[in-house]
Amino acid sequence: MRADDPPPLRILHIITGLGRGGAERMLYTLCAESVRRAQSGGDGGQHQVISLQPDGAYRPMLEALGVPVVTADARRLWRTPSAICGRWRRCSRDCGR
């Protein structure tokens, strides 16, 4: 990246879980392709994932790509909106907002 290039796009994905489903697979594919582009000199963006359910098959795969994954505790649905907002604020800080 040159000094006059704009900063990479920051992308926050919010998904219900990271089990073996189609949406989860597409999220992984999107992040993997973005990482590949960034490694070859393109702009792949900075991806972060908030999962509403803990763990799942794709979590370690995303983390292996270097994509941060955090869990918003959705076991208590009444807390979900505040949990997402809190995680989003932490993700924003981590990206160097």
Side-chain angles (χ1 to χ4, degrees):
M1 185 157 109
R2 296 185 327 244
D4 59 340
D5 284 344
L9 185 63
R10 296 181 313 195
I11 304 159
L12 177 63
H13 304 276
I14 301 174
I15 192 163
T16 54
L18 292 169
R20 293 222 177 256
E24 296 85 347
R25 182 172 32 107
M26 290 307 296
L27 173 62
Y28 173 78
T29 301
L30 174 69
C31 291
E33 178 63 19
S34 292
V35 167
R36 187 193 65 74
R37 284 185 184 186
Q39 290 173 342
S40 64
D43 179 15
Q46 293 177 342
H47 294 263
Q48 292 192 6
V49 175
I50 294 177
S51 175
L52 300 182
Q53 297 173 358
D55 301 323
Y58 282 97
R59 183 181 185 127
M61 296 167 68
L62 287 163
E63 290 173 337
L65 291 173
V67 175
V69 178
V70 294
T71 300
D73 186 4
R75 289 175 288 190
R76 295 187 180 115
L77 291 178
W78 60 273
R79 290 190 57 216
T80 299
S82 63
I84 290 172
C85 289
R87 295 291 183 184
W88 178 79
R89 282 192 290 276
R90 283 185 216 125
C91 288
S92 295
R93 270 196 314 254
D94 292 345
C95 277
R97 190 177 206 200

